[in-house]
Amino acid sequence: MRIGIYGSSFDPITYSHLFTAATVAHRKRLDKVIFVPCSSLRHDKKLQTQDHHRLEMLRIALSTSTHKKNRFGEPLFEISTVEMDALPGETYTYDTMVHMRKKYPDDELFFIMGSDLLRGMSNWGNAQKLITQFNFIVMSREGYPSADLIADDPLLRNNDEHFLIMSKGINMGISSTYIRDEIRKGGDPSFLLPDACLQYIYEHGLYQSIVDG
């Protein structure tokens, strides 16, 4: 199989996340996309709600997409809690991909990422091993030219065969940050994420204030 590993905070998951996963799967002929919510142990992300809330919203969102099947008749989307379950110091993307390679030793793995993450990627944990041992599907984002960012970084440009660049063909302009801001300021983020996820947010009083650090 061809499997995409889609890591993000999903804080909360949005229709943009779902559209990205479906688009990548269709255009790059992926048989499965595994959503990997990051751990609260990560120091490079300021998460705005607890792990179990983000995981539950992800489950709710993907339950509405169960009609999407792969060529084997299996669900196209699934969730892995590998990062949430990891010990401190084992939450790097490299650790996640090593875990996935052990789980799917006979399959092709691709880490799905936005082109904005290319800037500084060579400073990630175990970057040399990550970039030389694994393949990436890079979604182009406005203001972050994929080819130029790869060319500007010695580690990336000398391993550019590992990067498969694509454009979604549409800029949805939906971000988790925007949704959180709308909720906190009394706005209406309807139609930016599944209704059931929005209902969950209101029921649990999420995103009413900013979590610092």
Side-chain angles (χ1 to χ4, degrees):
M1 292 193 298
R2 289 166 60 85
I3 302 174
I5 311 301
Y6 191 9
S8 181
S9 57
F10 303 115
D11 195 17
I13 186 169
T14 72
Y15 276 132
S16 184
H17 291 128
L18 297 171
F19 176 77
T20 294
T23 300
V24 172
H26 175 71
R27 290 171 55 187
K28 298 308 175 185
R29 303 298 185 264
L30 301 183
D31 297 297
K32 183 184 297 186
V33 176
I34 302 176
F35 288 69
V36 183
C38 73
S39 170
S40 57
L41 298 176
R42 295 262 307 249
H43 299 298
D44 59 333
K45 292 182 180 292
K46 295 181 179 179
L47 301 176
Q48 296 299 305
T49 195
Q50 296 169 302
D51 285 0
H52 71 277
H53 285 311
R54 292 184 296 114
L55 181 58
E56 184 59 25
M57 286 187 285
L58 187 55
R59 286 172 173 158
I60 291 170
L62 296 194
S63 70
T64 64
S65 303
T66 54
H67 66 285
K68 286 192 170 294
K69 306 290 184 180
N70 63 20
R71 60 194 171 105
F72 305 106
E74 302 168 346
L76 180 63
F77 299 152
E78 67 177 59
I79 300 170
S80 170
T81 58
V82 56
E83 289 197 8
M84 286 185 169
D85 298 336
L87 297 173
E90 297 180 354
T91 58
Y92 293 126
T93 299
Y94 175 73
D95 299 310
T96 298
M97 294 302 289
V98 168
H99 169 88
M100 293 299 181
R101 175 172 282 170
K102 291 178 180 177
K103 186 174 182 178
Y104 303 100
D106 301 320
D107 300 310
E108 291 185 83
L109 301 180
F110 301 86
F111 184 76
I112 300 170
M113 60 185 289
S115 60
D116 55 312
L117 297 179
L118 290 170
R119 184 172 292 166
M121 186 179 180
S122 59
N123 296 319
W124 291 9
N126 294 312
Q128 180 82 28
K129 292 181 179 179
L130 174 67
I131 294 168
T132 57
Q133 295 178 15
F134 295 99
N135 295 317
F136 307 84
I137 296 176
V138 182
M139 303 292 296
S140 296
R141 294 188 60 181
E142 186 175 356
Y144 298 92
S146 300
D148 291 343
L149 289 171
I150 291 173
D152 287 342
D153 188 298
L155 180 57
L156 273 58
R157 69 171 174 259
N158 284 292
N159 294 279
D160 62 358
E161 71 276 11
H162 290 280
F163 294 90
L164 183 60
I165 300 172
M166 65 172 287
S167 170
K168 285 184 287 190
I170 183 173
N171 185 2
M172 297 187 73
I174 302 172
S175 72
S176 297
T177 300
Y178 181 89
I179 290 173
R180 294 196 303 266
D181 287 345
E182 283 293 286
I183 292 170
R184 182 167 52 87
K185 296 175 182 177
D188 181 9
S190 298
F191 305 106
L192 302 182
L193 72 169
D195 289 343
C197 291
L198 185 58
Q199 181 179 351
Y200 182 92
I201 289 170
Y202 289 142
E203 287 178 353
H204 292 82
L206 306 181
Y207 308 125
Q208 298 302 310
S209 59
I210 297 176
V211 177
D212 295 322

